[in-house]
Amino acid sequence: MKKRVISVMLAAVLVLGLIGCGAGNNGGTAKEESGTKTEENNGKKEPEDQTEEQRKEASGEQQKEESKDQSEEQQKEETGDTENQSAGDTADVQQFNYEPKKNDTGKEFRIAALTVQNNPFWVDVTKGIEAAKAALAGDDYHTTVDMITVDDFDGQVFAETIDTCIVKGYDAITTVGVSDAIVPAIDKATQSGIPVYVFNSDTEKESKRVAFVGQDLYAAGGVAADTAAALIGEKGKVGIITGLYSVNAHELRRHGIEDTIKESYPDIEIVGTTENHDSADEAYTQTKDFITGNPDLSAILVTAGGPHGAAKAIEELGMQDQIKLVCFDTTTEIVSYVRKGIINGTVSQDPFGQGADPIILAYNQLVTGNAEVTGNAFTKMDVITPENIGELFPE
């Protein structure tokens, strides 16, 4: 059951999508913790003809145990824990955009979740993966989720990791659609009966994946362009810092920005586009270069990771009143700069949902035999500004 609210607070376009990646040789393993109960004896010898209950009454043990039982029962009521509940059973499935079905197949499933962690954005994606993992470990679901992390957006490494997941017999795979290099591996998994869900970034080339979960990236670029245009009065010079030209998600955003400006804002000039490899340090240097080459620069748009580097450069130069900065995502660093008014607008893309949603959708398909969503499952998108930051991200 899909429970989704799509809201855009500073733009007319309300579509979303994301970029992401994952897979590597660091396979996650499911860990089970078990505790053993020990019994202590105080060394006293009890009369053989005494019953257990009589012994407890004589020693006052019964009263202590009743008090302990009452205390434990009260704690269970407060936490929602019961004798038969595991950690997974108590996980809040209401936090997900899709509801996991009860596993009545009699089977246990294994899902591989391939991701990256090369910049702060992926922290919340990981939280989504871990939440889905905890929930599906419960007695109602009988599913193990292994998170596999790749160092960067290397399509060949992702492809090799997907192949390894096929060999290891995973029942489903979720992965960042890092590049077209993974398409043959996705198709091979699908032909082997393993459903594949792509998140954060989709491949440019068509694959046999079930669905893409993420931001409508091209439309999100348009939202960022509209936001920047409104901030600078629809005229002036702007620079674009993109992540990697090789990542389709970054390219979709960049093209969305450029096309929207060219089609809708004739008085805005794009003075250049540069690639920062998701690095805040590179964005810092490139921002200073843009300003040096264009003293009358009005705005900078950053399509992917590292926008806080651009914000740092603008703040150091004291140019926050002249140069407007628009970017994507809501990492701790970005939110901090929005509060200070250095970043003037950032487009969110539900990173938690990007991590969790494809896992829940893949699991539901394994249980029911049918895909709940095919094609695109766009995530929600908000435009965060200094004006609404307090409401959306209370301190």
Side-chain angles (χ1 to χ4, degrees):
M1 178 177 63
K2 184 175 179 180
K3 299 176 285 185
R4 188 176 297 283
V5 177
I6 302 178
S7 60
V8 177
M9 309 189 70
L10 260 189
V13 183
L14 297 182
V15 232
L16 350 161
L18 268 221
I19 122 176
C21 41
N25 44 21
N26 254 349
T29 56
K31 297 180 181 178
E32 293 183 5
E33 295 181 3
S34 59
T36 56
K37 184 178 179 182
T38 59
E39 295 181 0
E40 295 182 359
N41 193 313
N42 60 10
K44 289 184 179 180
K45 185 175 181 181
E46 303 292 351
E48 292 182 4
D49 59 345
Q50 232 180 354
T51 68
E52 180 71 15
E53 184 141 353
Q54 287 172 329
R55 285 198 295 273
K56 287 182 178 179
E57 286 179 357
S59 65
E61 243 178 80
Q62 186 178 37
Q63 183 176 358
K64 289 179 183 177
E65 287 196 3
E66 285 176 355
S67 175
K68 179 183 176 184
D69 289 343
Q70 288 173 356
S71 175
E72 288 181 349
E73 189 62 34
Q74 183 178 5
Q75 184 178 6
K76 287 178 181 179
E77 287 178 2
E78 290 174 354
T79 62
D81 193 16
T82 66
E83 251 180 48
N84 297 320
Q85 281 180 324
S86 69
D89 293 323
T90 59
D92 181 13
V93 298
Q94 298 301 315
Q95 65 188 313
F96 304 128
N97 295 314
Y98 299 89
E99 181 179 354
K101 313 293 184 185
K102 184 174 182 179
N103 183 0
D104 54 5
T105 66
K107 300 176 182 178
E108 294 185 359
F109 299 114
R110 294 169 62 234
I111 299 174
L114 281 57
T115 188
V116 291
Q117 294 181 5
N118 69 337
N119 70 68
F121 165 79
W122 296 99
V123 172
D124 285 335
V125 175
T126 298
K127 288 179 181 178
I129 293 172
E130 294 289 359
K133 175 179 179 175
L136 296 183
D139 290 339
D140 281 343
Y141 311 111
H142 299 291
T143 296
T144 298
V145 176
D146 291 337
M147 183 172 71
I148 304 171
T149 301
V150 176
D151 291 337
D152 55 32
F153 298 102
D154 189 324
Q156 188 57 43
V157 175
F158 268 91
E160 291 170 358
T161 306
I162 294 172
D163 285 338
T164 300
C165 291
I166 296 171
V167 173
K168 289 185 175 181
Y170 280 96
D171 297 293
I173 299 170
T174 70
T175 179
V176 179
V178 54
S179 75
D180 287 349
I182 70 172
V183 171
I186 292 175
D187 292 350
K188 181 180 177 181
T190 303
Q191 289 162 3
S192 301
I194 303 171
V196 179
Y197 285 77
V198 173
F199 65 94
N200 182 254
S201 177
D202 202 358
T203 60
E204 185 175 5
K205 182 180 178 181
E206 186 176 349
S207 75
K208 295 185 183 299
R209 54 88 169 143
V210 179
F212 162 69
V213 179
Q215 192 176 59
D216 184 335
L217 295 150
Y218 183 83
V223 171
D226 288 335
T227 302
L231 288 166
I232 64 176
E234 300 187 6
K235 61 182 179 180
K237 295 179 179 179
V238 304
I240 299 173
I241 299 174
T242 195
L244 293 94
Y245 294 126
S246 62
V247 174
N248 188 42
H250 300 175
E251 284 296 272
L252 285 170
R253 283 183 181 159
R254 181 172 71 86
H255 289 309
I257 291 170
E258 292 177 349
D259 291 350
T260 299
I261 289 175
K262 290 174 184 176
E263 293 168 6
S264 302
Y265 304 105
D267 294 328
I268 294 179
E269 177 189 356
I270 298 174
V271 296
T273 300
T274 188
E275 182 184 39
N276 77 329
H277 305 94
D278 271 358
S279 165
D281 290 340
E282 289 188 42
Y284 172 86
T285 300
Q286 291 162 356
T287 296
K288 287 195 169 183
D289 289 343
F290 268 130
I291 294 171
T292 300
N294 305 275
D296 54 348
L297 192 71
S298 299
I300 291 177
L301 296 95
V302 184
T303 72
H308 51 287
K312 180 181 177 182
I314 292 170
E315 183 178 33
E316 284 184 358
L317 294 171
M319 302 191 72
Q320 54 266 38
D321 291 336
Q322 173 185 326
I323 300 174
K324 306 304 179 184
L325 179 57
V326 176
C327 61
F328 294 83
D329 305 324
T330 53
T331 64
T332 300
E333 296 88 347
I334 291 172
V335 168
S336 174
Y337 277 111
V338 173
R339 291 191 198 284
K340 294 165 70 173
I342 309 298
I343 293 177
N344 307 97
T346 185
V347 185
S348 68
Q349 57 175 330
D350 190 12
F352 181 93
Q354 287 188 43
D357 289 357
I359 294 172
I360 301 301
L361 289 171
Y363 161 79
N364 283 348
Q365 182 174 350
L366 294 174
V367 171
T368 66
N370 297 306
E372 186 172 347
V373 175
T374 58
N376 295 315
F378 290 139
T379 52
K380 61 187 177 183
M381 174 172 62
D382 298 317
V383 178
I384 317 300
T385 69
E387 289 71 34
N388 63 26
I389 187 74
E391 177 184 352
L392 297 175
F393 291 87
E395 292 188 87

